[in-house]
Amino acid sequence: MQPERQSGKNAVWLAVLFIVIAAIGLLYVKWWPYYQKSLLAAHTHSIGTSILGDPGKSAQFSWNGTFQYVIHYFQAIWKAAVLGILLGSLMQVLLPTEWLVKVLGKTSFGSTVIAGASAIPGMMCTCCAAPLAVGLRKKQVSTGAALAFWIGNPMLNPATLIFMAFVLPWKFTVLRILAGLVLTFGVSYLAGRIAKSEQSVDISKLAAVGDQNEGSLLTRWGKAAGQMLLYLVPTYLLSVVILSAARFWLFPQINQGDANSMLGVVLFAISGMLFVIPTAAEIPIVQTMMSFGLGAGPAAALLVTLPAISLPSLIMVGKSFSKQTLFFVAASCVVIGILGGLAGIMLF
């Protein structure tokens, strides 16, 4: 019994260490900066300029514009990206697999809710949350729970909702909250239920999975971090560059007749699902586009789909979920964005 007790104590201390590192990292990267930005939003009703720039100029392709966006994007997210990889790799060596599976390893709605709720303090964008979703899947967390944590980070971000309430009409905030709840809990749960390879994990068989003590803690963490860096970073960088170039076609100028049409809603719902932005960047993007004549319908579609997922984040988690699961999530995001856009046309 003594070795088991010692092992249990070690597991507790390692879990506490992970929580402390996560809290310090989030305080520095997310919580304190967002507190400052919320004060700015309250006083100025703005959180900055659109990262896409002038809608008229952004409709014209140029290599200079492409790399300017890439530079601005990574300047905005690099700290959170480093933190995401750090926590995603530390999770694999500091958190006991058995503990996570007991809480998040089931296909039940309860596991999905717990995972989605636990994402709220993270406030990560979809790409920065992707390493954490990868880490959760490596720890045998269920598909539904891992998806809820991944999607919940950007969609249930309380700071973004506060910014939105100060900057945009209140109906947009309500729509975003409803869409976030449906995507985080509803779509994630359904994806977990229909995933062909989804099965509950047998806790009794976890002794040989995930928590093997082969090598020192530092060695195991180095291996986990190295695997993430080698796979996630190159694909992330390349996909961001490609989307930066493609943004000139993803967000074209639309004529006045289509500015609040279903065609505009569908177009921007698909573009928003594919495109990649920093946390809360959808707010100044929509604010700027509406000042240039974009209607409430397409704007609502963007507010739902831009933060939820992106092509780079889908690629980053591609080995952790089945293709069918990710296609279902992407399609659901577009459909919910279209429904949100339709609500924008009718109600705003």
Side-chain angles (χ1 to χ4, degrees):
M1 292 294 294
Q2 192 65 29
E4 293 181 2
R5 288 181 181 177
Q6 188 63 36
S7 177
K9 289 181 179 180
N10 289 340
V12 171
W13 282 113
L14 291 176
V16 170
L17 177 61
F18 177 82
I19 293 172
V20 170
I21 293 173
I24 293 173
L26 289 171
L27 176 64
Y28 174 68
V29 174
K30 293 290 181 179
W31 299 341
W32 182 249
Y34 286 173
Y35 169 72
Q36 297 295 325
K37 187 173 283 190
S38 67
L39 297 179
L40 174 67
H43 286 88
T44 67
H45 300 288
S46 172
I47 58 171
T49 59
S50 169
I51 194 172
L52 293 178
D54 186 322
K57 294 180 180 179
S58 66
Q60 301 172 1
F61 173 80
S62 73
W63 284 113
N64 179 62
T66 294
F67 289 110
Q68 282 297 317
Y69 181 84
V70 172
I71 292 170
H72 291 159
Y73 172 78
F74 282 110
Q75 285 177 336
I77 63 91
W78 74 268
K79 292 179 182 178
V82 171
L83 181 61
I85 292 175
L86 175 65
L87 296 181
S89 56
L90 283 175
M91 175 187 297
Q92 298 178 51
V93 297
L94 295 182
L95 297 182
T97 302
E98 185 175 349
W99 291 10
L100 287 173
V101 169
K102 282 182 178 179
V103 180
L104 303 177
K106 302 174 183 177
T107 60
S108 66
F109 187 65
S111 286
T112 304
V113 169
I114 293 171
S118 66
I120 294 175
M123 304 185 188
M124 295 278 192
C125 66
T126 179
C127 289
C128 297
L132 291 162
V134 171
L136 287 172
R137 288 294 287 158
K138 286 182 178 291
K139 300 295 284 186
Q140 311 301 310
V141 167
S142 69
T143 293
L147 286 173
F149 184 86
W150 176 43
I151 298 172
N153 261 276
M155 292 304 293
L156 301 181
N157 185 333
T160 300
L161 296 174
I162 291 172
F163 303 156
M164 194 175 297
F166 285 127
V167 173
L168 297 173
W170 66 268
K171 292 181 180 180
F172 283 117
T173 305
V174 173
L175 175 64
R176 171 63 176 270
I177 292 172
L178 293 175
L181 292 173
V182 172
L183 276 167
T184 302
F185 301 115
V187 171
S188 297
Y189 173 69
L190 289 176
R193 296 295 296 179
I194 67 177
K196 293 182 179 179
S197 59
E198 180 67 38
Q199 293 180 350
S200 296
V201 178
D202 185 351
I203 298 176
S204 65
K205 296 180 180 180
L206 288 176
V209 179
D211 295 329
Q212 296 177 354
N213 295 316
E214 297 177 0
S216 66
L217 181 67
L218 185 60
T219 299
R220 288 183 285 126
W221 172 70
K223 182 180 179 180
Q227 290 176 343
M228 281 196 167
L229 288 169
L230 287 174
Y231 173 69
L232 297 182
V233 174
T235 56
Y236 184 25
L237 292 172
L238 180 60
S239 58
V240 169
V241 172
I242 292 172
L243 279 177
S244 178
R247 85 183 196 279
F248 302 96
W249 295 279
L250 288 172
F251 301 101
Q253 287 183 301
I254 56 178
N255 59 50
Q256 188 173 1
D258 292 328
N260 201 34
S261 66
M262 278 304 299
L263 174 63
V265 167
V266 173
L267 171 65
F268 283 114
I270 296 173
S271 298
M273 183 275 293
L274 292 172
F275 199 64
V276 59
I277 59 167
T279 302
E282 67 272 19
I283 298 172
I285 287 174
V286 165
Q287 190 179 33
T288 300
M289 285 187 168
M290 290 187 74
S291 71
F292 278 81
L294 187 69
L302 281 177
L303 283 174
V304 171
T305 59
L306 266 175
I309 58 174
S310 67
L311 181 59
S313 68
L314 288 169
I315 294 172
M316 292 169 77
V317 302
K319 290 186 177 181
S320 300
F321 302 97
S322 68
K323 292 180 181 178
Q324 294 89 340
T325 296
L326 294 179
F327 178 81
F328 174 77
V329 171
S332 298
C333 179
V334 172
V335 169
I336 293 172
I338 291 173
L339 293 176
L342 182 60
I345 292 175
M346 295 190 300
L347 303 176
F348 291 20

